[in-house]
Amino acid sequence: MTDKVTSIAEKPIRVLLLDDLEDHLLLSATILRRNGYDVTTSSTVEEAQSKLHQIDIAVLDYHLGAGKFGTDVADTLREKRPEVPIIIMSATLERRFGGIADMHLLKGYSSVDDLLTALRSFEAKKRGKPVVVDARDFYYSRISVCMGDDVVLEIMDRDGTLQYVNDYFAALFEHKRQWFVGKNIFEQFPELGDTWREVIRTVADTRETYIDRGFRGLPHLPTKGARWTWNVLVFSIKLQDNRDGVVLTARMIEKKGN
């Protein structure tokens, strides 16, 4: 009896992939199979509709051409098998997050690793409550991963409205990361003043990189003491809605000399 239960538990997760581009479909299916998933592929809404009874998770391309959309399949799946998680792959952020899908990933920005992370998340949750994840979090978190755990990272538009902060920054102020999103950094931290407002706007508009060679640090970030400061780098980024923005990074260093 134990062996039978173990066998059922280890049965591969069945994933439906819907994409009208055969090359994308083949590549995605190959990668998921190499990671242990049992993949069923479809290139049309009609074909996908016929396979809904044999899947555990659906990954659906949003725009399929010829007036067809992956959300047509999502609507049917949610009606017939509401327990099945749905991931929509979209080329833009025009659609509102939530609704019929549990998660949206942005094509062209979200990597294969993001899709695998999403699939593993749904495996672990065994459906539970719907989980809606903003694709921007995947996009911006890639930069944070590259920077390292000891670097403060803030992403904002040219006016200072925060789009993303990393865990290190959030922990300094004892808030959840999402608390900062949508808030203006100059309103939350008026000590930054006009100088830093000008730096942010200049970097966003000119797409040049700013390095604080004077080691003045950032007035809104706490330090260990008088001998410590924040080494600051600000560079431009294209935000997910195609506006110009900036990435502000800072690592604490010990000042040399007296």
Side-chain angles (χ1 to χ4, degrees):
M1 180 67 178
T2 302
D3 292 340
K4 184 176 180 180
V5 171
T6 302
S7 177
I8 293 174
E10 294 177 350
K11 187 176 180 180
I13 297 295
R14 301 170 299 175
V15 178
L16 170 65
L17 285 181
L18 170 62
D19 197 318
D20 62 322
L21 298 178
E22 294 291 344
D23 289 347
H24 291 177
L25 198 60
L26 178 61
L27 178 60
S28 298
T30 300
I31 292 173
L32 293 189
R33 285 173 181 140
R34 287 178 178 173
N35 281 272
Y37 292 96
D38 181 357
V39 180
T40 298
T41 61
S42 299
S43 58
T44 67
V45 167
E46 294 74 20
E47 185 180 8
Q49 300 274 25
S50 69
K51 299 177 178 179
L52 299 183
H53 64 285
Q54 53 186 276
I55 64 170
D56 300 308
I57 300 175
V59 180
L60 312 172
D61 189 22
Y62 171 59
H63 198 285
L64 302 170
K68 300 286 187 176
F69 298 91
T71 46
D72 296 335
V73 178
D75 287 331
T76 302
L77 181 56
R78 185 61 78 231
E79 179 182 344
K80 293 184 174 181
R81 301 187 62 207
E83 77 281 4
V84 175
I86 299 170
I87 299 172
I88 297 291
M89 303 293 293
S90 176
T92 70
L93 286 175
E94 294 176 1
R95 290 184 54 79
R96 299 179 68 86
F97 293 104
I100 201 66
D102 294 284
M103 182 180 290
H104 287 251
L105 295 180
L106 193 66
K107 294 175 66 175
Y109 291 101
S110 296
S111 68
V112 173
D113 286 341
D114 295 331
L115 178 56
L116 290 171
T117 298
L119 290 172
R120 291 180 185 127
S121 173
F122 284 125
E123 281 184 68
K125 293 179 183 300
K126 300 295 184 183
R127 179 52 184 168
K129 294 183 179 180
V131 179
V132 180
V133 176
D134 190 326
R136 286 172 291 193
D137 200 48
F138 285 106
Y139 179 35
Y140 297 139
S141 66
R142 285 291 169 259
I143 302 171
S144 183
V145 169
C146 293
M147 290 292 177
D149 294 337
D150 63 338
V151 174
V152 164
L153 186 140
E154 306 163 68
I155 298 177
M156 65 198 77
D157 64 17
R158 72 179 298 278
D159 296 319
T161 302
L162 291 164
Q163 311 296 305
Y164 176 91
V165 300
N166 67 351
D167 289 325
Y168 187 19
F169 176 86
L172 288 175
F173 299 99
E174 300 181 341
H175 281 297
K176 300 286 187 180
R177 286 192 301 108
Q178 286 302 313
W179 185 89
F180 295 93
V181 176
K183 290 183 170 60
N184 187 278
I185 189 173
F186 301 110
E187 293 176 1
Q188 294 298 316
F189 306 103
E191 60 269 31
L192 286 169
D194 292 335
T195 299
W196 280 105
R197 187 189 299 272
E198 183 63 25
V199 168
I200 297 303
R201 288 183 174 175
T202 300
V203 170
D205 293 344
T206 65
R207 306 190 67 78
E208 295 180 353
T209 299
Y210 174 84
I211 302 174
D212 181 22
R213 301 187 187 280
F215 296 104
R216 295 172 299 163
L218 284 164
H220 70 307
L221 298 179
T223 61
K224 296 180 181 179
R227 292 185 55 81
W228 293 82
T229 189
W230 292 95
N231 187 16
V232 184
L233 171 70
V234 187
F235 58 91
S236 63
I237 187 176
K238 188 66 76 172
L239 299 176
Q240 289 253 7
D241 55 9
N242 212 37
R243 291 180 298 143
D244 292 325
V246 305
V247 179
L248 187 155
T249 69
R251 176 183 274 114
M252 190 177 290
I253 60 172
E254 187 174 11
K255 293 179 180 179
K256 303 298 182 183
N258 296 328

